[in-house]
């Protein structure tokens, strides 16, 4: 999930009003009456329970409400099982309003692993809340910052900071405290990793982070994604919002790069498929990634764990090198 999205307000799937077909069209609508309506509600309740079990697997993971919504969409329309060599994203299988109605009907408290939403809070510097006076005397080799506070809370609830020795912060906790920055400067080859949505606005999160945080010299800033091509490979559920060309001051195209302060060349770094995808106003939230897959990917990327090379990969490289070619690596 390497590479470098979050639309707010009307751009979210919750407010997009997209629907699927059949059961997915609006199965939680309160206007259904009689036996057919009760049967549709019973089916949706069962789908929601199944989705909750899948979202928590394996090991009783904690997950957010929006992660549960996207899991329901995967249960109803399992496009995520399609081969990854074809890139595409799918429309939501049901409206977020229908999902909320079903969740309210069965009771959020009855869903094991469901996290409460993160309460809005004023920006504050990350690290100021610690009671340990000597904490800042140690080097900090890695740190993860999520554009979504809900995703940051979910990763913390599942033990990512302890498992990966990597503190996790949300965007509302920026700017980082000077003590945290000093810890990064003390460590050799320290790295700040960034997670964001695949959207026109989310792709500017690295630039927005750079403007709000005075990163010490020698500390790397590595965006992990989500990028549109990654969302396409995973066949995630997309929403529709304003197209990137209609978001002044956010999209780093030639006309707005200077005004937005975005990293130069970001638009050109996107593939043609990604640019066309964004031009249609599509976006994918990081919450659309399966919780277990997201945790595994974060563990692997922040610890820089390399996947083992297969013999098939070696044979392909030999074929490309040619017969009796001198090895170059």
């Amino acid at each position: 999930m390497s590479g470098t999205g979050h639309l707010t307000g009307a751009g979210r799937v919750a407010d997009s009003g997209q629907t699927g077909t059949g059961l997915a069209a609006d199965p939680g609508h309160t206007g259904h009456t009689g036996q057919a309506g009760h049967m549709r509600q019973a089916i949706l309740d069962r789908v929601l329970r199944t989705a909750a079990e899948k979202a928590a697997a394996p090991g009783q993971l904690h997950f957010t409400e929006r992660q549960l919504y996207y899991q329901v969409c995967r249960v109803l329309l399992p496009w995520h099982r399609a081969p990854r060599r074809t890139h595409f994203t799918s429309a939501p299988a049901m409206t977020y309003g229908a999902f909320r109605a079903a969740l309210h009907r069965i009771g959020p408290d009855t869903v094991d692993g469901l996290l409460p939403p993160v309460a809005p809070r004023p920006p504050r510097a990350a690290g100021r809340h610690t009671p340990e006076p000597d904490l800042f005397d140690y080097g900090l080799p890695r740190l993860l910052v999520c554009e979504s506070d809900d995703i940051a809370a979910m990763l913390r609830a599942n033990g990512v900071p302890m498992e990966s020795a990597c503190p996790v912060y949300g965007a509302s906790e920026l700017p980082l405290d000077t003590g945290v920055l000093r810890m990064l400067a003390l460590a050799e080859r320290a790295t700040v990793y960034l997670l964001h949505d695949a959207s026109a606005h989310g792709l500017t999160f690295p630039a927005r982070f750079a403007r709000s945080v005075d990163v010490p010299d020698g500390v790397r800033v590595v965006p992990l994604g989500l990028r549109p091509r990654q969302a396409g490979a995973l066949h995630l559920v997309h929403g529709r919002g304003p197209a990137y060309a209609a978001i002044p001051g956010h999209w780093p195209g030639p006309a707005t790069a200077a005004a937005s302060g975005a990293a130069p060349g970001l638009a050109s770094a996107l593939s043609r498929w990604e640019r066309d995808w964004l031009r249609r106003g599509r976006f994918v939230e990081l919450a659309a990634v399966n919780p277990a897959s997201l945790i595994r990917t974060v563990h692997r990327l922040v610890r820089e764990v390399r996947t083992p090379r297969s013999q098939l990969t070696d044979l392909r490289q030999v074929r490309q090198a040619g017969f009796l070619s001198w090895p170059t690596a």
Side-chain angles (χ1 to χ4, degrees):
M1 206 165 70
S2 60
T4 88
H6 185 89
L7 286 180
T8 59
R12 302 184 70 182
V13 176
D15 308 310
S16 64
Q18 294 189 46
T19 60
T21 58
L23 171 66
D26 199 358
H29 194 278
T30 57
H32 293 301
T33 59
Q35 185 176 1
H38 289 304
M39 183 176 296
R40 292 166 71 90
Q41 289 184 353
I43 293 174
L44 182 56
D45 291 350
R46 178 56 184 167
V47 168
L48 201 153
R49 295 289 187 188
T50 301
E53 294 173 1
K54 291 181 177 294
Q60 298 299 313
L61 298 176
H62 297 280
F63 49 88
T64 69
E65 183 178 289
R66 294 196 69 78
Q67 286 179 312
L68 177 58
Y69 164 68
Y70 287 114
Q71 187 65 57
V72 169
C73 291
R74 283 191 290 271
V75 171
L76 291 172
L77 293 176
W79 285 113
H80 61 285
R81 297 179 181 175
R84 293 192 177 185
R85 55 182 179 269
T86 302
H87 285 202
F88 67 87
T89 55
S90 62
M94 64 183 298
T95 66
Y96 196 67
F99 161 77
R100 289 293 304 273
L103 182 61
H104 178 74
R105 186 170 59 251
I106 69 172
D109 294 339
T110 68
V111 180
D112 293 336
L114 181 61
L115 293 169
V118 176
R121 54 189 175 187
R124 58 185 177 86
R128 291 179 181 172
H129 57 280
T130 177
E132 303 295 336
D134 61 341
L135 174 65
F136 299 133
D137 295 337
Y138 300 89
L140 181 64
R142 62 186 70 87
L143 184 143
L144 176 66
V145 181
C146 305
E147 186 183 21
S148 167
D149 291 319
D150 285 332
I151 292 297
M154 173 263 182
L155 294 175
R156 289 194 293 262
N158 287 292
V160 168
M162 294 297 294
E163 293 287 340
S164 291
C166 178
V168 178
Y169 294 114
S172 69
E173 296 180 283
L174 297 178
L176 297 173
D177 186 79
T178 55
V180 176
L181 296 175
R182 185 168 66 251
M183 294 173 69
L184 290 169
L186 289 174
E188 184 178 357
R189 289 180 51 82
T191 306
V192 177
Y193 298 95
L194 305 179
L195 273 180
H196 55 77
D197 295 342
S199 71
H201 185 55
L203 288 169
T204 66
F205 183 60
R208 288 182 279 127
F209 173 82
R211 292 198 300 270
S212 63
V213 178
D214 187 13
V215 180
D217 293 337
V219 176
R220 298 184 301 161
V221 178
V222 178
L224 301 179
L226 194 64
R227 277 187 55 160
R229 63 178 175 82
Q230 298 161 341
L234 296 173
H235 313 315
L236 300 178
V237 175
H238 66 241
R240 288 187 184 275
Y244 74 75
I247 306 178
H250 286 306
W251 181 250
T256 60
S260 65
L266 177 56
S268 61
L270 297 172
S271 68
R272 182 174 182 178
W273 182 90
E274 289 177 305
R275 292 195 297 270
D276 290 343
W277 186 86
L278 289 165
R279 193 171 289 114
R280 291 195 292 270
R282 293 181 175 176
F283 67 94
V284 170
E285 294 181 271
L286 196 62
V289 182
N290 173 266
S293 297
L294 177 62
I295 293 171
R296 285 196 302 266
T297 301
V298 168
H299 277 312
R300 177 173 57 84
L301 294 178
V302 301
R303 298 304 295 263
E304 298 186 353
V305 177
R306 306 294 182 182
T307 54
R309 290 157 54 109
S310 66
Q311 293 182 352
L312 180 60
T313 301
D314 293 337
L315 288 175
R316 287 173 178 169
Q317 291 180 349
V318 169
R319 182 187 300 173
Q320 293 173 356
F323 181 65
L324 293 181
S325 298
W326 190 260
T328 59

